[in-house]
Amino acid sequence: MSTSAIRLVRFTGRLLLALAAVATLVVAFLALIVLTDGAGSGLAAWLTTLGTGTVLALWRGRHRTWPTRLVPFLPVIVAAAVTATVCVPTVPTARRHPPALPFVATQHWNLATGSRVAVYHYPPANPSPRHPLPFVYLHGGPVRGISLQDHRFLRLLAAQGYDVYAYEQAGGGRSDLLSMDQYTISRSVRDLAAFVDRLDQGKIDVLGFSGGGVVLTRALADRGVAARLHRAIIAEPGPMDGPTAHITGPKGRASARGLAPAPTGPRSTHVPRYAVAFGLMRLGLLTPDTGLIGQAEGDNAFTAADLGSDTASAYCARDAHRIPTEDTAENFSFSPAASLRIQQTVKDSPSIAPRLRRSRTPAMLMIAECSSQVRPWATAALANDPAIQRTQYMPGVGHHMWNGLDDNNDRAVAVITAFLQDQPAPLPNYPTRDEITTFLRDHK
């Protein structure tokens, strides 16, 4: 072997050893992030990694001549530079709320629970006959802003004569943040009761969609809150309690997940700091109130593109290449940490079925054909709530049933208004309680 070849082999070996040292330090840094729960914006883990790497570099270079003693420090310097990107915020750390909407005023209500929530009011449009009770919309998420697509749907209901109110859950959209330990599903239910009391117009009709459907289902199981409700519509709910959350079962017909083009726009997960923070939180390796990133910073950083295929999963496979834009970058708001925190409190909660079986509030369940939700999440409410009077299986739509495509919005409005006015349902009452088993078998 020639001298140049030997030198090349030696250089390659040293380079590989250096890269291995860098990788080892980076892995050690990530392990320390987990062990310290990101304390001090990750600086505790970074300083410990840097200190440990420095000590090892000094030990490795102790018998070398002076110039070569610096060589073991190169992997430490590279690892320090790489991991420092996880410790430095790239967005404001104070909460930035979305700008005001041009078509509806944003009110802020202080609720008796201590929450300060953003409220939107769409008065009944003339010349439609006015309905006597307020209509309240509980959006999905949880802890997400109300999308522009949902605002358009609410205006359709107002055009039918409904006095429509919607509020963004504490921590979402233009509502104020809570401390992380206050984000619980029980707090969300109490906020609903406090909102109705603050509205001070007697009983309300209420539509709860997705995460909002969970809040509504649990409200129906609470006598004190249910007493404030006139009629309830549970649309595509998530799991209502811990036992339901642990159910595995069939989902709806094929959604557009994996078929739709990848979402465009900036992603926070392309930034090392937020890729590490959100990734480890999603894996359960960091707590929602991690010291790595604050709640406000995480909210500011998270973008619609970060939802990835979750948006596509709310549409039928046939709609994969025509999924509408649900929101703008300016209006989009989602709190990943608070959302995970609330979802965990649902998973940790005991069964509400015994209390739900005592419900007397007239209710309707809406289920989408291409639902991305686990089917038993919806049928658990149907099986345990004797006051669910009708179920409307919505053909041709995914989880987001009012999506602006074709006549989907009008069909959803027709189903909702027929129930609220106690008129015959536009669709068959399906599935009934007796049909749950066959429904779960046949509609996959």
Side-chain angles (χ1 to χ4, degrees), residues 331-399:
N331 187 64
F332 177 81
S333 171
F334 182 67
S335 178
S339 180
L340 286 171
R341 163 75 180 162
I342 290 180
Q343 291 178 60
Q344 189 60 51
T345 65
V346 174
K347 293 176 183 177
D348 293 340
S349 68
S351 173
I352 66 168
R355 290 184 286 126
L356 188 59
R357 293 186 190 114
R358 296 195 293 268
S359 175
R360 296 295 178 267
T361 304
M364 177 177 72
L365 178 66
M366 296 176 69
I367 304 176
E369 178 186 7
C370 310
S371 177
S372 56
Q373 305 284 78
V374 175
R375 289 294 199 198
W377 292 350
T379 57
L382 176 61
N384 289 288
D385 185 350
I388 292 180
Q389 298 178 345
R390 65 177 72 168
T391 302
Q392 299 286 266
Y393 177 74
M394 306 291 291
V397 294
H399 179 60

Side-chain angles (χ1 to χ4, degrees), residues 139-155:
H139 62 86
V143 198
R144 183 173 178 173
I146 299 176
S147 71
L148 297 183
Q149 188 176 90
D150 278 2
H151 277 290
R152 287 191 287 270
F153 181 69
L154 296 178
R155 291 201 293 272

